[in-house]
Amino acid sequence: MSYETLLLEIQERVALVTLNRPQALNALNSQLVGELNQVLDRLEADPQIGCIVLTGSAKAFAAGADIKELADKCFPQIYHDDHFAQADRIAARRKPIIAAVAGYALGGGCELALMCDFIYAADNARFGLPEITLGVLPGIGGTQRLTRAIGRAKAMEMCLTGRMMEAAEAESAGLVARIFPRDRLLEETLKAAHAIAGKSLTAAMMIKECINRVDETSLSEGVRFERRVFHSVFATADQKEGMAAFIDKRAPRFTHR
Ligand code: HXC
């Protein structure tokens, strides 16, 4: 299957998905959101894929929702089409997804990065939720996920002023896991993705499920949830293999089952 707004490259158990609308700085129009969901559906269903990397260009991860597509919409259209609910499906994906962000990650582009499991950023990355400058507000979870990621004070200030945050501040605020020089971003992200994809996919998915639970529950319920999942991992072949390999002093051969 080919896509007009994305590039897909498979490297062993890692899928690299590159947003590819350079003429619009990868603005998220409905075609791109649709194709992104199609490709993620396909990658999630493919047992050979253990980790997904989502990236953009050196200038822009994505400069937001496509303003030209949205400008003339009226309430009934935007309410019924609701294509940003489709974008929000990315947050419900079960396999690990890393965002590799260089350049602008603004508005819906920043929200897209926030829906990934963690963000690696190039030193030229700039994050922002500038919707207020357009007379609107974030609509793909930005007010919620940015606040959870960096706290109320910085999230409120960013959303109300629309200012951009540079990579160094994004790292110290906890929005970004690590920063790399821009020419090493993809290489370092793929290295991490291959490391994740080489582990047990079942364990990785369980870890993701447990960490995502943090936003939905109390500490005691979250700990109880984690313990139940921990018990269940002992039903997997990968637990037997991982522990046996440690005892035998050899590398594990996970079957992701
Ligand atoms: C549509 C966009 C776009 C966008 C850039 N372009 N961002 N088109 N939607 N979000 C287009 C420009 O119109 C231009 O096309 C081309 O990409 C290059 O952009 P320039 O502005 O010429 O580049 P530059 O001067 O380098 O400025 C880069 C920029 C600026 C600072 C990132 O483009 C910018 O401010 N973009 C908008 C950022 C933004 O407001 N995002 C939030 C969108 S609202 P032409 O054809 O003119 O050359 C949103 C809501 C989410 O995301 C919630 C939805 C429910």
Side-chain angles (χ1 to χ4, degrees):
M1 193 186 287
S2 69
Y3 306 94
E4 284 179 21
T5 61
L6 304 172
L7 303 171
L8 172 64
E9 189 187 325
I10 307 289
Q11 301 182 356
E12 298 166 12
R13 290 182 54 76
V14 171
L16 173 62
V17 178
T18 304
L19 306 179
N20 190 32
R21 288 190 74 212
Q23 72 285 6
L25 301 184
N26 293 331
L28 311 175
N29 63 1
S30 42
Q31 184 184 9
L32 187 151
V33 171
E35 290 189 350
L36 185 54
N37 271 314
Q38 279 172 29
V39 79
L40 292 176
D41 283 344
R42 173 177 156 192
L43 295 170
E44 287 235 290
D46 183 346
Q48 297 310 314
I49 297 299
C51 189
I52 298 159
V53 173
L54 184 60
T55 196
S57 69
K59 179 167 181 189
F61 178 73
D66 191 312
I67 299 166
K68 292 166 191 167
E69 192 181 66
L70 288 177
D72 293 328
K73 299 254 189 216
C74 55
F75 172 77
Q77 267 177 306
I78 201 139
Y79 180 75
H80 285 283
D81 295 354
D82 204 17
H83 77 247
F84 291 105
Q86 293 304 311
D88 205 53
R89 284 182 56 209
I90 291 152
R93 299 290 170 178
R94 299 178 72 207
K95 287 184 180 173
I97 307 181
I98 311 173
V101 174
Y104 297 109
L106 301 178
C110 183
E111 294 173 297
L112 179 60
L114 280 163
M115 282 188 273
C116 296
D117 297 311
F118 61 86
I119 302 172
Y120 278 173
D123 47 17
N124 74 334
R126 304 186 78 189
F127 297 87
L129 292 176
E131 284 87 344
I132 194 162
T133 61
L134 301 166
V136 296
L137 66 152
I140 326 173
T143 59
Q144 306 303 300
R145 292 195 183 93
L146 186 69
T147 307
R148 282 168 165 81
I150 67 174
R152 180 188 162 87
K154 273 187 185 286
M156 191 70 91
E157 186 239 3
M158 284 184 70
C159 289
L160 290 179
T161 64
R163 81 162 169 102
M164 292 187 209
M165 181 182 262
E166 310 231 329
E169 184 185 359
E171 187 187 30
S172 63
L175 174 56
V176 155
R178 294 177 70 185
I179 304 177
F180 298 100
R182 77 198 72 164
D183 58 344
R184 282 187 34 226
L185 173 69
L186 205 51
E187 171 195 335
E188 294 289 346
T189 309
L190 287 168
K191 201 191 291 177
H194 281 287
I196 293 168
K199 309 276 192 307
S200 164
L201 176 60
T202 311
M205 288 169 65
M206 287 176 169
I207 288 166
K208 177 166 168 167
E209 198 177 350
C210 288
I211 291 181
N212 284 338
R213 196 78 175 188
V214 168
D215 292 332
E216 313 291 342
T217 194
S218 66
L219 176 61
S220 59
E221 281 305 316
V223 169
R224 195 190 310 272
F225 179 79
E226 180 198 76
R227 193 170 309 131
R228 288 289 170 261
V229 177
F230 179 77
H231 294 158
S232 68
V233 83
F234 281 75
T236 67
D238 285 346
Q239 174 269 325
K240 301 285 173 290
E241 169 62 13
M243 291 192 171
F246 175 82
I247 291 163
D248 297 347
K249 299 186 187 300
R250 60 173 174 82
R253 288 181 296 271
F254 292 119
T255 53
H256 313 289
R257 287 283 172 254

